[in-house]
Every structure is written in structure tokens, then in C-alpha cells.
């Protein structure tokens, strides 16, 4: 039996209900982005949850209050039963967002996915020119395939969001990326600065933006938001190593969202498996409601009682919730620590100094994300 989460006055905290779920249906992917948010230890194909289990998970999610599911990967298109998985999410009453690289899904298949119930498509772009896009994705020819895919998306009539992950090697081209999203008729663009855990943490020297780039990106986003008001929404994840306060990761641990990994592990966030002492229940063995309400992993950082100083006595503790637990794990070696990107963290000065050095690096060599051989 797990300890109930509490606030700093010792009062029990009752969990809210989730509204969104990320369904990572596979870790297989034709691309090899060096900042992939998947774990460094990727799940083998033989361990992937079958479509029938996904259907059960979607019903349980809807019953719990989830309104939308983001079907993602890896590349969800590598699953031949993707249309069945989509149809079962729709049948459960969920709004279905397909997050894809656009590689490997033909126009005919996209039409099938439309019939199966995809409501919205989110397409990742790695650059604004073929050379950059193909090099960052590790996939020659990716750019042309993505541009064709984006055309089909709008022809078929899906609302489109562009996912643009930015870092030192492409941040200067952010204005062109926003322009490209406009040209592709996107309704939304997510401009997300690389988050340095997992694969990206292996590539800090090649990807860390400079302080000047971070300021430039903020200005570009602010200007574009004004210019495009009413036409295109811009979501923005800033370069937090150059910020004063951390982001409220996941809007707070286990408050509004959850993830299911390809093998059925139910996670409070996509990187939670980087916390070595944490164990995760599997949707094959336990109901989603039970896991959400009762499990140790979901209750670990609910409420405010768990927080260390300086968070305990900080007036932002219910604004950013002490920052990102996985980033605290990666940078401080302790998931319970104040996120070191916070200027009040004792580790902040060292982190900023290291980021300055990394951002001045002249290497563009990267460790690409790959499944180990035989997986
Ligand atoms: Fe957030 Fe903790 Fe920093 Fe305060 S001290 S701003 S709560 S991370
Ligand atoms: Fe896990 Fe931020 S990615 S809490």
C-alpha cells in the first residue's frame, strides 16, 4: 500500500483526473533523431502491446476522464495494425491525434486512417531544407517524403500541427520554420527547444543553443504570435538552461496526463523510466484507474510535501512544481532535487557554466538514436 501524497501542511492530496494520454505504440522508427524523447533503452518489437490491449487501455482511459489520445512512437506508421488501434481509440470516444514523422505512410493509408478516426495530424520537421532535415533525422530523402505527406494531410482535410524541435544547429532558421508552417497551412506549430535528457543528453555539445540563440528564439516566437494571431497558434518550449525558472513539466507530475509505453508500462511522463528507483505498473496487469489513483510511481511527486528546499519555501512551488523530475535526475542525479535549471538551485551556477561551454562547441557530430541490433 502506497503512502498518500500530502501537501506541506500534511493534508492528503486527492489526485485530479487526466485529460490526455500519450500512447507510444512502438519504439521502431525509420528516423534516428539524436534528441529523440524515447528512452535510450528502446523496447523490442516482440514486447509491443497488441491492438486488443490498446483497445482496452483506451476504454479505461476514457472511463477515467481522458479526452484525447496522442498516438505516437517511434513512428506509429510502422505498425501494420495502426488503423485498428486508431479505430479502437475513436470507438472509446477519444479525440485522436496522430503524431508522425510522415515517413512510411502512403496517401492511401492516410485515407484509411481518416476513415478509422484520426482527428488531427502532428508532423515532425527536423529542418527547413533537405540537407539539414536529412542529416538531423539520419534519414536520406526524409525531407521530400515529409513535404509530400504534408500535402496529403491538407488535401484530405486534417488539421495540421508542425512539430519543430530546435537546437543550436537549426535555431537560427526558426523564422523560416514558422514561414514553412504557414505555407503548409498548419493551424499550429510547436516550437520545442531540445530537452536534455535521454538521447539529447548524449548530444549536449552538438545541440546546446547559445544564450543569444535562446533570446533570439524567444523574440521570434513573440513577434510571430502577434503577427499570426487568429491564424496559427504557436506553442513554445523555451531553452530552459538559459532561463531563470524551470518549466512546469507535464503541468505537474501526474495531474493531467499519462503515458503508456510500447510494452504497456504506464508512466507519469515519457522520461520517467530514467528514474532508476521507480517501478511502473503494466496495463496488462492492473487497471488504469488503479494505477492513476494508487500506484507508487504516480503518487511519488504529487502534492508538495515531497519537495526539498528551496522549493518548500518558494512561492512558485504551485506554479512550476519544482520543475522537471527527470531533468533533476539527469542533472542532479536525484529525482527529488530542485530542477537545476532553477536559479535558486545550488547546482544552477555550475549548470549554466557548463551550458555556456557546451553551447560554444564547434562539433556537429551526434549519437543517433538506434534500436540495438536484432530488436
Ligand atoms: Fe520552482 Fe523550486 Fe525554483 Fe521555486 S525553488 S522556482 S518552486 S524550482
Ligand atoms: Fe519526466 Fe519532466 S520529463 S517530469
Amino acid at each position: 500500500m502506497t503512502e498518500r501524497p500530502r501537501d506541506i501542511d500534511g493534508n492528503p492530496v486527492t489526485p485530479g483526473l487526466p485529460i490526455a494520454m500519450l500512447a507510444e505504440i512502438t519504439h521502431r522508427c525509420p528516423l534516428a533523431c539524436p534528441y529523440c524523447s524515447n528512452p535510450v533503452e528502446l523496447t523490442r518489437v516482440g514486447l509491443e502491446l497488441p491492438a486488443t490491449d490498446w483497445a482496452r487501455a483506451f476504454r479505461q482511459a476514457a472511463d477515467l476522464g481522458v479526452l484525447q489520445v496522442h498516438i505516437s512512437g517511434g513512428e506509429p506508421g510502422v505498425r501494420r495494425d495502426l488503423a485498428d488501434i486508431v479505430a479502437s481509440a475513436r470507438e472509446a470516444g477519444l479525440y485522436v491525434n496522430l503524431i508522425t514523422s510522415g515517413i512510411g505512410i502512403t496517401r492511401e493509408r492516410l485515407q484509411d486512417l481518416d476513415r478509422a478516426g484520426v482527428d488531427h495530424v502532428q508532423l515532425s520537421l527536423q529542418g527547413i531544407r533537405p540537407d539539414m532535415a536529412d542529416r538531423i533525422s539520419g534519414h536520406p530523402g526524409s525531407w521530400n517524403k515529409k513535404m509530400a505527406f504534408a500535402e496529403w494531410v491538407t488535401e484530405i482535410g486534417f488539421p495540421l500541427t508542425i512539430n519543430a524541435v530546435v537546437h543550436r544547429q537549426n535555431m537560427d532558421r526558426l523564422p523560416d520554420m514558422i514561414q514553412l508552417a504557414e505555407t503548409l497551412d498548419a493551424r499550429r506549430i510547436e516550437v520545442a527547444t531540445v530537452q536534455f535528457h535521454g538521447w539529447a543528453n548524449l548530444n549536449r555539445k552538438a545541440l546546446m543553443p547559445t544564450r543569444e540563440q535562446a533570446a533570439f528564439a524567444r523574440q521570434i516566437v513573440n513577434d510571430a504570435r502577434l503577427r499570426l494571431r487568429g491564424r496559427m497558434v504557436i506553442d513554445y518550449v523555451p531553452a530552459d538552461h538559459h532561463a531563470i525558472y524551470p518549466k512546469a513539466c507535464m503541468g505537474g507530475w501526474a495531474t493531467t496526463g499519462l503515458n503508456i509505453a510500447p510494452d504497456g508500462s504506464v508512466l507519469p511522463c515519457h522520461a520517467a523510466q530514467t528514474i532508476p528507483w521507480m517501478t511502473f505498473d503494466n496495463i496488462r496487469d492492473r487497471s488504469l484507474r488503479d494505477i492513476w489513483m494508487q500506484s507508487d510511481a504516480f503518487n511519488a511527486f504529487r502534492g508538495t510535501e515531497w519537495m526539498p528546499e528551496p522549493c518548500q519555501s518558494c512561492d512558485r512551488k504551485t506554479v512550476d512544481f519544482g520543475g522537471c523530475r527527470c531533468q533533476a535526475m539527469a542533472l542532479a542525479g536525484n529525482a527529488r532535487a530542485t530542477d537545476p535549471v532553477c536559479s535558486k538551485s545550488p547546482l544552477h551556477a555550475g549548470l549554466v557554466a557548463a551550458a555556456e561551454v557546451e553551447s560554444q562547441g564547434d562539433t556537429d557530430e551526434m549519437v543517433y538514436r538506434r534500436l540495438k541490433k536484432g530488436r
Side-chain angles (χ1 to χ4, degrees), residues 146-166:
K146 281 168 182 276
M147 290 302 104
F149 182 84
E151 266 182 39
W152 304 332
V153 168
T154 37
E155 272 169 29
I156 293 172
F158 293 110
L160 172 68
T161 290
I162 294 297
N163 277 4
V165 175
V166 291

Side-chain angles (χ1 to χ4, degrees), residues 61-365:
D63 182 54
L64 187 55
V66 169
L67 300 174
Q68 53 181 304
V69 60
H70 306 286
I71 297 184
S72 174
E75 167 49 53
V78 303
R79 288 217 28 175
R80 303 317 302 172
D81 54 1
L82 175 59
D84 297 337
I85 293 173
V86 166
S88 66
R90 168 57 80 85
E91 238 175 75
L94 300 173
Y95 180 89
V96 182
N97 177 30
L98 179 70
I99 303 179
T100 176
S101 66
I103 308 292
I105 298 183
T106 60
R107 193 182 196 290
E108 291 64 38
R109 213 164 154 224
L110 197 55
Q111 283 169 319
D112 285 347
L113 292 170
D114 183 26
R115 285 187 283 272
V118 168
D119 292 293
H120 180 276
V121 174
Q122 224 167 306
L123 173 66
S124 65
L125 293 184
Q126 283 74 17
I128 48 100
R129 289 192 323 256
D131 54 343
M132 170 66 86
D134 293 358
R135 190 173 67 77
I136 298 290
S137 67
H139 185 96
S142 69
W143 168 262
N144 291 337
K145 293 175 191 167
K146 281 168 182 276
M147 290 302 104
F149 182 84
E151 266 182 39
W152 304 332
V153 168
T154 37
E155 272 169 29
I156 293 172
F158 293 110
L160 172 68
T161 290
I162 294 297
N163 277 4
V165 175
V166 291
H167 44 80
R168 188 172 75 239
Q169 297 188 39
N170 67 3
M171 212 175 238
D172 297 338
R173 308 303 299 268
L174 181 56
D176 302 319
M177 184 63 92
I178 294 171
Q179 176 67 55
L180 177 62
E182 283 181 74
T183 309
L184 295 175
D185 240 350
R187 299 207 190 156
R188 198 166 67 100
I189 179 170
E190 273 188 27
V191 178
T193 310
V194 161
Q195 299 297 293
F196 289 100
H197 27 76
W199 292 94
N201 210 31
L202 303 176
N203 289 303
R204 297 174 68 90
K205 288 186 183 147
L207 298 175
M208 183 66 71
T210 64
R211 181 172 291 280
E212 293 71 30
Q213 282 182 311
F216 168 78
R218 186 179 295 277
Q219 190 59 51
I220 293 297
V221 167
N222 286 344
D223 293 349
R225 277 178 173 159
L226 282 180
R227 185 173 62 80
L228 296 169
R229 182 173 289 161
R231 278 191 286 150
M232 188 166 80
V233 174
I234 306 183
D235 289 336
Y236 179 46
V237 180
D240 57 3
H241 281 51
H242 298 294
I244 299 172
Y245 297 121
K247 62 183 180 297
C249 197
M250 296 295 292
W253 183 271
T255 53
T256 56
L258 63 107
N259 293 8
I260 302 187
D263 67 352
S265 300
V266 185
L267 314 174
C269 70
H270 65 270
Q273 286 164 313
T274 59
I275 301 175
W277 50 264
M278 196 165 266
T279 55
F280 303 98
D281 289 287
N282 197 292
I283 192 69
R284 302 178 209 240
D285 310 322
R286 196 175 176 186
S287 79
L288 205 55
R289 179 175 294 276
D290 234 29
I291 297 172
W292 175 265
M293 302 301 280
Q294 312 277 355
S295 72
D296 289 342
F298 278 75
N299 279 330
F301 302 118
R302 280 181 173 141
T304 45
E305 191 188 46
W306 65 270
M307 286 182 176
E309 288 293 356
C311 298
Q312 274 290 350
S313 36
C314 176
D315 58 9
R316 286 182 58 88
K317 63 175 168 288
T318 51
V319 176
D320 60 38
F321 313 101
C324 172
R325 298 303 86 224
C326 304
Q327 188 150 265
M329 185 69 232
L331 299 177
N334 176 7
R336 293 189 175 90
T338 298
D339 186 338
V341 306
C342 176
S343 54
K344 296 185 181 182
S345 160
L347 300 177
H348 182 73
L351 180 82
V352 169
E356 289 289 344
V357 172
E358 286 156 354
S359 71
Q360 299 302 326
D362 55 7
T363 182
D364 60 4
E365 277 185 30

Side-chain angles (χ1 to χ4, degrees), residues 38-56:
N38 288 160
V40 175
E41 273 303 315
L42 295 162
T43 298
R44 300 201 303 273
V45 56
L47 294 178
E48 287 175 4
L49 212 56
T52 45
D53 284 356
W54 279 113
R56 186 161 39 82

